Amino acid sequence: MNRVRNCGVARKKRGLFVKELVFGHQNPDTDAIVAAKAYAYLQNQLGADVEAVALGTPNEETKFALDYFNEPAPRVIESAKDEVEAVILVDHNEAQQSVADIKDVTVTHVIDHHRVANFETAAPLYMHLEPVGCSSTIVYKEFVAHNVEIPVNLAGLMLSAIISDTLLFKSPTTTDDDIEIGKKLAEIAGVDYQAYGLEMLKAGTNLAAKTEAELIEADAKSFEMAGKTVRVDQVNTVDLDEVFAREVAFRQAIEKANQENGYDLFLLMITNILDSNSRLLVVGEPKDVVEKAFGQKLVDDKMDLAGVVSRKKQVVPPLQDAFEA
Amino acid sequence: MNRVRNCGVARKKRGLFVKELVFGHQNPDTDAIVAAKAYAYLQNQLGADVEAVALGTPNEETKFALDYFNEPAPRVIESAKDEVEAVILVDHNEAQQSVADIKDVTVTHVIDHHRVANFETAAPLYMHLEPVGCSSTIVYKEFVAHNVEIPVNLAGLMLSAIISDTLLFKSPTTTDDDIEIGKKLAEIAGVDYQAYGLEMLKAGTNLAAKTEAELIEADAKSFEMAGKTVRVDQVNTVDLDEVFAREVAFRQAIEKANQENGYDLFLLMITNILDSNSRLLVVGEPKDVVEKAFGQKLVDDKMDLAGVVSRKKQVVPPLQDAFEA
């Protein structure tokens, strides 16, 4: 009952598995990089021919984790169809967050923990989605279901992804599964998850070294809402004031990005990982939908969101609802 | 790590699970009815409050199976939002195959073996899709993953669904998983799957008792292809000639259905379950796309498809490709 037999018909040619690429979303965060590496390892253990790649270079946090566990960053690709006919998506499913030529290849598997939208296939496929805090939590379950052991370094990376996505289990997206599996992975990896996790998160908040243009792209995602293109970028920090000292420069960078890319509305979400609050800077229109979504007025295009740390769970759904109301 | 804990946050109110409905597609076949019953049983064993319902009454084959294993047919619903806020989909995901007010409720789980299309959520959800022959095969895996025993009668029904969807393991949609799990279910149910299966399939081919209008609706599904609404109905028989003796009446019924429902193109797919071949009767436009899809000319709007028994695997994908080419 393993998946090699499941999907063998669709994925084999003349008895051989055809190579597939697996990757996470654009502007990869730690989970996008790690879930791809981990799922590729699992698939290869099961006899498939899968290479983990990425749609961008690792951010500072991910670099810290890869260095710590002595693992290489995946190769960056711009196109899938030049290399393969079939791909596996992790940590995303929406086409606009995927590789540019996603429509020209066949998606055979999706491992994800996001809402489903702008995703369509011509044929049946394997999908394992759960409303948990991190794709790597689901990848862990796939290892268990297929009875494959997780190597020490990969366990450390998967723990890093869970810590990253759940902000050390503080995000409301965190489920019991994330905590339980995170602790198991910490045991396999042989690290103290609290101490390691805080060190890793802080490594990701080294904002001084980056330009505003880089920061508004680093963890940005686009969403189609009622015909508008809404861009939401999340930046983690340990000092909100330090970030908003650069507000004028952020506004200019965002206005430029909106113009160049046709974004209607841009939300820059600055999250304080120490106290789990966020502040929004909103550029573009319609701003009143943002006010409706969060039930408060913008002041100088800014809004404090107490206890909000999750774009996926606390920002995108109310925005979507407000747009569609 | 069971799903009660997984999804508890989203689905509980004040510590209590909120009732959900689970159902298969419109014009339910045996799998649509059975997978809903089986998944409801599993969810309830895990502590959730889920009722299996259906979007139509059981067909002759399903009635035979329900009678044989002494199980009641699920209640038929027209609307979900009047009863619940959240639903579970089995054996389908496309909105036009679901309950009429699907857009007004939240989908929390999908268990399916079809392509994904016209499906979008506002929030993350649980999805378990596999490219296997039958949804009940996936439901079986969910029972195993959650360590819940399958009752004898439910095992018989799940076997019936697998036999129905795979035409007794003869359809090219059949995977090793379907066969392996079908045999396990036959053991639990205490039936000879060959003898039982043929008896059940024949019970579903009692066409003489039905009008043409009933037959073209009984197992029909709509698909959006390049802006056209394509309707594909599959009818199983043990005697093709007997069916095509009624061709004129079938044409009239289909023309009426096309007009009344705005279908652009209607494919009536008559499958001989004894020799695993099908004959198409095509009414509507564009007919040339059908010829392109299957690489042969229509003769009097008809076409023989040798070895074709699977709408999902052998009819819809080539049609979709031809429409989009």
Side-chain angles (χ1 to χ4, degrees), chain B residues 5 62 64 70 106 137 194 205 207 279 292 298 303 309:
Chain B
R5 272 184 287 154
T62 312
F64 177 90
N70 201 25
T106 300
T137 298
Q194 283 286 0
T205 66
L207 307 180
R279 185 177 296 165
K292 196 170 62 171
L298 286 162
M303 183 187 286
V309 296

Side-chain angles (χ1 to χ4, degrees), chain A residues 68-88:
Chain A
Y68 195 98
F69 293 105
N70 202 24
E71 281 279 334
R75 179 167 68 88
V76 174
I77 62 158
E78 301 275 331
S79 155
K81 74 161 185 248
D82 295 344
E83 299 188 48
V84 293
E85 288 173 15
V87 300
I88 297 172

Side-chain angles (χ1 to χ4, degrees), chain A residues 264-281:
Chain A
D264 297 293
L265 184 68
F266 198 115
L267 278 67
L268 179 63
M269 176 185 175
I270 309 290
T271 300
N272 185 336
I273 58 169
L274 299 182
D275 68 7
S276 303
N277 297 317
S278 293
R279 184 178 295 165
L280 289 184
L281 173 65

Side-chain angles (χ1 to χ4, degrees), chain B:
Chain B
M1 209 155 59
N2 67 51
R3 65 153 304 291
V4 173
R5 272 184 287 154
N6 278 352
C7 309
V9 179
R11 303 172 72 206
K12 269 191 217 169
K13 276 190 182 169
R14 283 179 242 108
L16 291 170
F17 275 99
V18 177
K19 181 176 170 176
E20 293 182 39
L21 297 177
V22 53
F23 46 84
H25 50 79
Q26 295 169 15
N27 301 318
D29 58 6
T30 300
D31 191 32
I33 300 273
V34 165
K37 283 177 70 88
Y39 199 60
Y41 177 86
L42 173 61
Q43 287 283 335
N44 289 329
Q45 289 293 306
L46 296 173
D49 180 8
V50 173
E51 182 190 356
V53 293
L55 305 185
T57 52
N59 63 29
E60 295 299 318
E61 178 196 276
T62 312
K63 270 186 213 155
F64 177 90
L66 290 168
D67 286 351
Y68 195 99
F69 293 104
N70 201 25
E71 281 279 334
R75 179 167 67 87
V76 175
I77 62 159
E78 302 274 331
S79 155
K81 74 162 185 245
D82 295 343
E83 298 188 48
V84 293
E85 288 172 15
V87 301
I88 297 172
L89 308 184
V90 294
D91 199 30
H92 75 297
N93 64 82
E94 302 194 39
Q96 75 280 5
Q97 298 168 5
S98 197
V99 72
D101 55 2
I102 186 69
K103 302 278 188 203
D104 300 322
V105 290
T106 300
V107 179
T108 64
H109 298 63
V110 182
I111 306 290
D112 192 14
H113 66 130
H114 295 90
R115 72 166 187 152
V116 176
N118 201 6
F119 177 77
E120 184 165 323
T121 65
L125 75 163
Y126 185 93
M127 286 183 88
H128 185 170
L129 274 61
E130 295 197 28
V132 293
C134 181
S135 299
S136 292
T137 298
I138 306 171
V139 175
Y140 177 93
K141 294 185 182 195
E142 291 277 329
F143 272 90
V144 171
H146 294 97
N147 216 6
V148 173
E149 208 176 318
I150 305 176
V152 170
N153 288 352
L154 214 44
L157 287 183
M158 290 164 76
L159 168 67
S160 304
I162 295 174
I163 290 169
S164 169
D165 269 11
T166 65
L167 289 179
L168 245 173
F169 307 139
K170 279 184 194 155
S171 165
T173 57
T174 312
T175 64
D176 290 350
D177 281 5
D178 299 303
I179 298 170
E180 191 179 317
I181 289 170
K183 288 178 178 172
K184 282 182 188 165
L185 290 165
E187 254 177 56
I188 300 172
V191 297
D192 174 333
Y193 67 85
Q194 283 286 0
Y196 169 75
L198 205 59
E199 204 183 339
M200 185 199 78
L201 288 175
K202 280 188 180 165
T205 66
N206 181 14
L207 307 180
K210 290 207 184 118
T211 67
E212 290 77 17
E214 286 167 341
L215 287 170
I216 64 160
E217 266 302 298
D219 183 23
K221 287 185 184 173
S222 292
F223 303 87
E224 297 301 318
M225 297 187 187
K228 301 284 183 187
T229 300
V230 180
R231 186 87 169 164
V232 186
D233 181 42
Q234 185 168 17
V235 174
N236 290 339
T237 182
V238 289
D239 186 352
L240 269 187
D241 291 338
E242 187 185 283
V243 177
F244 278 90
R246 299 163 71 176
E247 181 179 336
V248 173
F250 271 121
R251 283 178 181 275
Q252 288 169 347
I254 293 172
E255 274 158 13
K256 186 155 175 278
N258 284 1
Q259 274 191 351
E260 288 178 358
N261 303 288
Y263 309 142
D264 297 294
L265 183 68
F266 198 115
L267 278 67
L268 180 63
M269 175 186 178
I270 310 290
T271 300
N272 185 335
I273 58 169
L274 299 182
D275 67 8
S276 303
N277 297 318
S278 292
R279 185 177 296 165
L280 289 185
L281 174 66
V282 181
V283 180
E285 291 297 340
K287 286 199 186 66
D288 60 324
V289 176
V290 181
E291 296 183 331
K292 196 170 62 171
F294 302 104
Q296 52 173 304
K297 290 285 171 196
L298 286 162
V299 178
D300 295 335
D301 303 329
K302 292 186 293 291
M303 183 187 286
D304 279 314
L305 298 175
V308 168
V309 296
S310 167
R311 167 172 52 193
K312 188 174 68 171
K313 197 136 184 166
Q314 297 172 297
V315 174
V316 171
L319 255 187
Q320 185 89 23
D321 288 347
F323 264 101
E324 288 173 0

Side-chain angles (χ1 to χ4, degrees), chain A residues 203-257:
Chain A
T205 66
N206 181 13
L207 307 181
K210 288 206 185 118
T211 67
E212 290 76 17
E214 287 168 340
L215 286 170
I216 64 161
E217 267 302 298
D219 183 23
K221 288 186 184 171
S222 292
F223 303 87
E224 297 301 318
M225 297 187 186
K228 300 286 184 187
T229 300
V230 181
R231 186 87 169 163
V232 186
D233 180 43
Q234 185 168 17
V235 174
N236 290 338
T237 182
V238 290
D239 185 352
L240 268 188
D241 291 337
E242 187 185 282
V243 177
F244 278 90
R246 299 164 69 178
E247 181 179 335
V248 173
F250 271 121
R251 282 178 182 276
Q252 288 169 348
I254 293 171
E255 273 159 14
K256 186 154 174 278

